[in-house]
Amino acid sequence: MNRFEETDSDERSPAHDKRRTIEINNLLEQIRQTADKLQRDEATRGDLKLLARSLKELRYAFKVFTPYRDKRKVTIFGSARTAPDHPTYLAAQEFAAHMARDSWLVITGAGSGIMEAGHRGAGREAAMGLNIVLPFEQEANPVILGDDKLVNMKYFFTRKLMFVKECDAVVCLPGGFGTLDEAFEVLTLVQTGKRDLFPIVLLDAPGGQYWRKLDDFIRESLHHDALISPEDFALYKVTDSVDEAVAEIEQFYKVYHSMRYVRHQLVIRTKTPIADSLLNEIREEFRDILSSGDFEVRRALREEDESDLQHMPRLVFNFNRRNLGRLRLLVDCINAGSIEPASREFP
């Protein structure tokens, strides 16, 4: 018997399903009560219009993405202005093609440039799109236009939410203000724990310096002035190699599967059990990220409700919710089956 099979686990039961149904009904009732309060508050027509449109397009986006929730997805950001013969376009196309061959879906903004390159590389079957409706642009690119996996959205904030909520990795290629906004927002969400850890890759064409220059600025200004922690550099990877970008993403999911919080405990689900020797090294190396207690290998906690993940072993501990760079290094150690990644020096 494996260690993770020795602790109690709560199987799905009628009582469990009933609790879940009650929770869902309570959440729906909260939405109704909020709508009633808006009426009592005499919210303006403009405010109500914004809320109604946002809720409507998020509901539709959830509906479109729900059938594909069991598939890994990578979001690609980049310029809409990049020409099809540009090396960056070709790099995006090659990257997306590789990910599609490995059974990943590719999400882009559905426009031209890098977005179109991602869809061309993935092919229509593996492409998902989140198009923004603008007064002067942009029609969806011909690869995704008319596809059931395309969502047209009015607001940037709902669109950005879907980009990050639904993906398992983000790859940013060179772009303008929008691309930089998206790259830094993703980094901020991961660094602050507002989004579960996932790979973030800043990908350039071979020999390109776009992201290297930005990384130099981060190191020379942000890190030098102690505005970020050294371990924050573990949260992203800069490369001009498509193969390295693919490897960074696929290595992240080699053993690690997913994570979630159960009350004060962080639950890291793994595809295979963590060896005793590695667990002991983790306990020694990463004690600084504990708020209390110790690292334990366990089965599913009874509060978890993902029935298809019940069989997976878990690493469970009280995470301090601050050292996200260190947490990323812990995941790297789990995937490597070794404590060696924790010895990386930053910057």
Side-chain angles (χ1 to χ4, degrees), residues 94 96-104:
E94 181 186 353
H98 197 141
M99 298 306 294
R101 285 196 299 270
D102 292 344
S103 300
W104 282 62

Side-chain angles (χ1 to χ4, degrees), residues 303-321:
E303 293 87 351
E304 296 182 71
D305 54 8
E306 297 92 342
S307 58
D308 56 328
L309 305 180
Q310 292 288 314
H311 65 286
M312 290 184 174
R314 270 87 165 143
L315 182 66
V316 181
F317 56 99
N318 295 318
F319 178 49
N320 63 21
R321 301 205 181 201

Side-chain angles (χ1 to χ4, degrees), residues 56-283:
K56 182 179 179 181
E57 64 182 34
L58 282 173
R59 184 213 63 84
Y60 181 70
F62 294 158
K63 178 182 176 181
V64 170
F65 275 83
T66 294
Y68 305 97
R69 292 266 166 85
D70 62 340
K71 293 196 59 108
R72 294 288 188 193
K73 306 175 196 66
V74 56
T75 290
I76 296 179
F77 293 126
S79 175
R81 304 184 183 190
T82 307
D85 60 348
H86 194 280
T88 306
Y89 186 107
L90 299 176
Q93 186 170 339
E94 181 186 353
F95 169 78
H98 197 141
M99 298 306 294
R101 285 196 299 270
D102 292 344
S103 300
W104 282 62
L105 297 177
V106 174
I107 308 171
T108 84
S112 57
I114 296 301
M115 295 174 279
E116 180 179 300
H119 281 165
R120 287 199 181 281
R124 188 177 178 97
E125 185 176 344
M128 301 194 77
L130 293 165
N131 189 40
I132 188 72
V133 178
L134 298 174
F136 54 91
E137 59 179 345
Q138 61 192 20
E139 184 177 62
N141 65 65
V143 180
I144 195 71
L145 184 64
D147 194 277
D148 291 339
K149 302 189 300 303
L150 171 66
V151 182
N152 292 301
M153 310 191 81
K154 178 179 177 63
Y155 299 118
F156 275 109
F157 76 91
T158 52
R159 181 178 182 241
K160 287 162 73 175
L161 184 152
M162 293 302 299
F163 274 133
V164 179
K165 175 183 179 295
E166 296 293 337
C167 75
D168 302 283
V170 166
V171 173
C172 300
L173 287 102
F177 293 144
T179 299
L180 291 173
D181 171 59
E182 289 155 345
F184 277 111
E185 178 158 357
V186 168
L187 280 167
T188 300
L189 290 171
V190 172
Q191 183 208 38
T192 57
K194 290 296 184 180
R195 173 52 165 92
D196 292 347
L197 288 177
F198 59 17
I200 302 170
V201 180
L202 307 180
L203 174 62
D204 228 319
Q209 294 296 309
Y210 181 95
W211 295 117
R212 292 290 178 192
K213 292 177 181 178
L214 180 64
D215 189 48
D216 288 342
F217 166 77
I218 293 172
R219 293 170 186 273
E220 294 169 8
S221 296
L222 276 68
H223 177 259
H224 181 269
D225 294 338
L227 301 176
I228 61 172
S229 301
E231 294 82 8
D232 289 337
F233 289 101
L235 299 176
Y236 68 93
K237 181 178 182 64
V238 177
T239 182
D240 63 353
S241 165
V242 168
D243 289 341
E244 284 188 7
V246 172
E248 173 76 3
I249 294 170
E250 297 193 341
Q251 173 66 18
F252 186 85
Y253 293 102
K254 181 180 179 182
V255 178
Y256 170 88
H257 181 274
S258 56
M259 61 179 278
R260 67 166 289 180
Y261 287 94
V262 175
R263 297 187 305 276
H264 300 298
Q265 294 179 302
L266 178 59
V267 179
I268 292 181
R269 307 178 182 108
T270 59
K271 298 175 183 177
T272 57
I274 296 172
D276 286 329
S277 56
L278 179 58
L279 179 60
N280 290 333
E281 290 181 305
I282 287 172
R283 285 170 168 160

